[in-house]
Each structure stands twice: as structure tokens, then as C-alpha cells.
Amino acid sequence: MRQAKRPPGSFSRRGPILRPTVTRRSFLTATGAAAALAMSGNLPDLVDAAGISHRTDKRPLFTLGVASGDPLPDAVVIWTRLAPGPLEPFGGMDDRTVDVEWEVAEDATFRRVVRRGTAHARAEYAHTVHVDVRGLRPWRHYFYRFRAAGQISPVGRTRTAPAPSDEPAVTMAVASCQAFYDGFYTAYQDVVRREHDVVLFLGDYIYEVGVGPTAGVRNQAVPVDFAGEIFTLDEYRARYALHKTDPDLQAAHAAAPWIVTLDDHEVEGNWAGYVSEDGIPHDDFLVRRANGFRAYWEHMPLRLDQSPDGPSIRLHRHLRYGRTADLSVLDTRQFRDDQTSTGGWLPPDEVSIDPARTITGDAQERWLLDTLGRSTSRWNVVAQQVAMAQLDRKTGPELELPMDTWNGYAASRDRVLSSVRDQDVRNFVVLTGDLHRSVASDLRVNFADPSTPAIGTEFVTTSISSGKDGVDADATGRALLAENPHVKYQNVQRGYLSCRLDRTQWTSEFRIVDRVVTPGGTASTRATLVVEDGRPGTHLA
């Protein structure tokens, strides 16, 4: 018998209630908790319904929007956070658990609901919800939403990955570096308009430094508590809430699934492994790292098994887009050796060329090379944080390189690129953030010899807002083009990278916004570069 149709916008309660049963470890659930608590302890069971809240606060709950991420052919993570006062302590919530229903449908009106269930937003997780929705169909758009205390969230749209045997064209938006106080997130309006299949975010989702009372160029009131650098778990949580109040960022999260990794500012600028850039003692820095990782996982659409264990988190992972692309997501912060000297632009020295140095750690490096070697996909993509290509900005035969990037870990880069060559990895493409500039480069095993054949391509996306408006070219950009024959393009304005992968070529459009320090900027394509299937290296279209 046919079920009666529900009115558009209604929220169904029919069907079985699916309750996750995963438990994870936790730490630092309150500001100022002891360092020992950061390293150990048990989280409450995620499905324990004890203490479910019956709220009387009628302020909007879903002020930070919704998100989805890490799509598989049959699954995707959906996310939200309850925060009636997003910039208030604890997001305006008390310490009680809130019952949150969720639905996933094939249509935006939710007439064809395919999965539904109940999760619990707990204070221990800042009232965030992560649901790993399974049993979906490959390469399909789905719509999702949440309900709590009688309120319904905004609707998000997501898309699963293709089936392993399929080879569709895939579109990706690549973004990084969104300092809240430096500008508006105008580029995300363009990301939404172009309807990408997935968004890759490559680090610096937040910045740990203080935000002034007018939020920099945004000229909006920010609580005085945000003025200082952040260290505690509550401060990191509040900083994510501030960023997520941006409507363009919320729209981009709601438009497509995101695949994310972090860089340095999610913890502290230029940190390396267990070493604090600010000189914080080892044990104290581990607590800070634990706080940063915990808040990061809470606010990203990541699976439960990626939640941090104290000051450690597993972010490197492999996702496949059918036969079109294998995507290896890296973490170049957590396992790296310390930077040489200040980590700035410097000549190579004994430290930077030390054959034992690593930017990924030995285990992640082996995992990456094994993953690339086993791939049968047309495009082999590495999504990561800092520039891999040699970037010399000093005129003449001497070198001056950015030591916080793979340039400061030459042996680590040589091992990866040599393995790509020796394993004959097909169509190797590296996607990178961090630089606050757009750069396209050929990758070579020997950058000192321009006749060495290219074995891959790197596309560096500029920042969403960090660095304010920028310029078309600065002195560093002109030097990069003049001193590095493998560098094919550069620009220092704000924006993102829009990519299309198909059976014949990879197309990268550098989408640039003419201004971000005031709203209303216009996006345009500054340059289009392509990589042809089976022909390593890139060129202007």
C-alpha cells in the first residue's frame, strides 16, 4: 500500500531509529583541565540516552549550518553543531545531551527519504553530531537535514563517490587559508555557483592568533574574549564557531561534501611535530596540540574513527573516485622533523638536505608510496598542505627556498618523486595550499636540470582571504617565474582552484576574486592550465 505523501518540509518520524554504537576516547572537555586528562580517559558512550535535554531555550540551534564529507561509494559523513549562542561560552548550550534526528533523502523536499536515525549531541563534543550514513548508492546526490528540540536545520546537499568500476568526469574545488579578520569569504559564492562534486580544503581553516573587537576588515562586533591567542579547548571551539558563522562558508559546506586536512594554524603557526614555534615547553605544547586536534575533529565532517587520541590524530587517508582518481590525503605537520633555522626563505643548508629528514614521517611515507604504487586509476592525486616543487626566489645561481615546505625537506621530496618515477605512477598531480598565492609547476626528480623530464604537476591554490586583496604579481612571484623554469604560472590574489578530471585531461582554473576586504567582490578565471592524460607536466590552455 502506498504511504501518504508528506507535505514538503515536514520531518518524518516513521521507520526504524538507527543509533550509532561507537565509543571513542576523549580528553580536555573543559577549559583549564589538567594535562594528564588530555592524554587519557574514556568518553561516554555516544548512544547513551541518559540525561537527554528537554530544552526551553527557543533561540535558533543550527546557527553554524550543516556539512558533509569523506564520501565513499555507499556512504558519507553528515555533520552539525547545536549553538544557540555561537560566540557565547559553550555555544550557549548547557551540559545536557540533546536528541538529534537526521534524515537523508534523494530529493530536496524529503519525499524520498532513504536513511534516517537519531544521534546525540553531547557537551563532551561541544554538541556536535557526526553521522556516518551507510547504504547509499554510488555517485548520487543526496539531501540531508537534522531536527532537535522542534527545530529543523538548513538542508545540505552531498554526493557519494563513484562505483569502483566507473570513470565519470569529476569536478573539485580546492581551497585553503581563510583568516577571518583579513577578508570576506566571497570565493565560496563562486564555489557554490559552479556546483563542484567535492571540495578539498587543505589547511588553515582557522587562525590561532587574536581577533580584534571589529573582526578586522569585517567591521563586526566580536567578544573581547577573542582578542588573545587561543590555547584552551574552549578557545579553539569558539574560534571554529566564529569562522563558521560566515554565511558563504556555510553555503559552501551545504553545497557539496568536503575532504579536509589541517596545516599549522589549526594549532599554532609553523609548528613541527612535537616542536612549538612559540617555544612552549614540550608537555604544554602536547596539551595545546590535543586541544587543537579535538576542536578540529569536532567541527569537521570526519568519521568517528578519525577522532583524536590525545595529541595524535590520523588524517592521512585514501579515497577513491572510481577509476577516475585515487586521492591520497596527507598530513605534513604532525610527523615532520623541525624546520631548519627560522623556517623562512633561506639557502639550503646541511639540515635541509639531510637524507634522514622527513616531512611526512616514515610510516606515512611508506603508506603513500604503497598507495601510489597500487593505484589503477587514471589520475593519482595527492592533497596536501605545503609546496612540493622547488621554489627559488633569489636572482642568480644561488638558491633561496621556503624552508617550511618540502623545500626544507629535500630528501623527503626526492624519495617521493623518485618513487613516482620508478613506479611509473600514472598522471601524478599534487594539490597544495598554504602559500597565499596561486602557483602551477611541473614536478621533476632533479629541479636543478631543466632538461629532466616532468613526472607530475603541482597546483597550489591561493588563499580564500588570508593576505587580504593581494596583487596580480609581486617581487616574489616575478622571481619564481624567472628563476624556476618548471614554474608555469603564479598570482597573488585571493580565490580558489576549480578542477575537472576526465578521461583525456585535467583542467585547472585559477578562480580569482578582485577584492575581499569589502563584500561584493567578483570572481573570474585568471588562468586555465591543463595536463593531458599520459603526458606529465602542465601548460596554459
Side-chain angles (χ1 to χ4, degrees), residues 26 323 366 385 389 494:
S26 180
R323 296 173 57 202
R366 289 193 299 271
Q385 295 82 352
R494 308 286 72 84

Side-chain angles (χ1 to χ4, degrees), residues 175-381:
S176 73
C177 303
Q178 51 188 26
F180 190 82
Y181 44 78
D182 264 2
F184 292 85
Y185 296 166
T186 309
Y188 285 132
Q189 298 175 13
D190 195 64
V191 171
V192 172
R193 280 193 296 266
R194 293 167 72 90
E195 295 191 347
H196 297 83
D197 297 321
V198 66
V199 177
L200 308 182
F201 193 88
L202 303 182
D204 296 346
Y205 193 98
I206 65 166
Y207 281 69
E208 83 286 5
V209 297
V211 178
T214 62
V217 303
R218 289 178 178 243
N219 196 29
Q220 68 182 67
V222 174
V224 65
D225 294 349
F226 287 70
E229 188 167 345
I230 56 178
F231 296 91
T232 69
L233 178 55
D234 290 337
E235 289 170 340
Y236 279 103
R237 286 169 167 171
R239 194 59 53 88
Y240 280 99
L242 176 65
H243 284 63
K244 282 180 170 289
T245 59
D246 184 90
D248 294 327
L249 177 58
Q250 288 192 20
H253 271 299
W258 284 41
I259 297 171
V260 301
T261 189
L262 57 73
D263 193 18
D264 55 338
H265 289 289
E266 287 88 351
V267 177
E268 171 195 277
N270 285 350
W271 65 280
Y274 294 110
V275 180
S276 163
E277 174 74 5
D278 293 341
I280 298 172
H282 177 271
D283 290 349
D284 292 339
F285 181 64
L286 289 187
V287 174
R288 186 181 193 183
R289 211 174 86 160
N291 291 338
F293 287 173
R294 174 64 176 270
Y296 178 79
W297 177 82
E298 287 176 342
H299 290 84
M300 295 296 111
L302 294 167
R303 289 189 162 81
L304 296 175
D305 61 6
Q306 291 173 273
S307 62
D309 183 4
S312 299
I313 187 171
R314 166 106 184 208
L315 286 176
H316 64 278
R317 59 203 188 276
H318 171 247
L319 297 160
R320 191 177 185 201
Y321 270 72
R323 296 173 57 202
T324 305
D326 268 20
L327 177 63
S328 299
V329 181
L330 297 190
D331 172 357
T332 61
R333 282 289 161 193
Q334 190 175 179
F335 308 107
R336 66 161 65 189
D337 292 314
D338 193 12
Q339 297 97 336
T340 178
S341 187
T342 63
W345 292 77
L346 297 166
D349 60 16
E350 291 183 359
V351 176
S352 68
I353 64 173
D354 182 345
R357 277 171 63 76
T358 177
I359 195 171
T360 60
D362 294 339
Q364 185 180 188
E365 181 180 297
R366 289 193 299 271
W367 167 85
L368 173 62
L369 300 183
D370 289 346
T371 301
L372 292 171
R374 291 194 304 268
S375 172
T376 58
S377 295
R378 186 174 301 273
W379 300 96
N380 285 281
V381 187

Side-chain angles (χ1 to χ4, degrees), residues 425-503:
V425 174
R426 184 178 186 179
N427 294 336
F428 180 63
V429 176
V430 177
L431 300 174
T432 301
D434 177 65
L435 283 185
H436 303 177
R437 68 174 67 236
S438 302
V439 182
S441 306
D442 290 345
L443 295 173
R444 299 185 173 122
V445 173
N446 183 5
F447 288 103
D449 182 1
S451 67
T452 303
I455 55 94
T457 301
E458 180 178 36
F459 295 111
V460 179
T461 184
T462 187
S463 59
I464 291 291
S465 62
S466 303
K468 300 183 178 179
D469 286 343
V471 295
D472 185 64
D474 60 3
T476 295
R478 289 188 286 270
L480 292 179
L481 290 171
E483 298 300 316
N484 303 276
H486 51 278
V487 174
K488 307 300 182 182
Y489 168 76
Q490 79 82 44
N491 173 276
V492 204
Q493 293 170 280
R494 308 286 72 84
Y496 74 103
L497 184 65
S498 181
C499 304
R500 186 181 190 276
L501 302 60
D502 61 30
R503 297 185 180 190

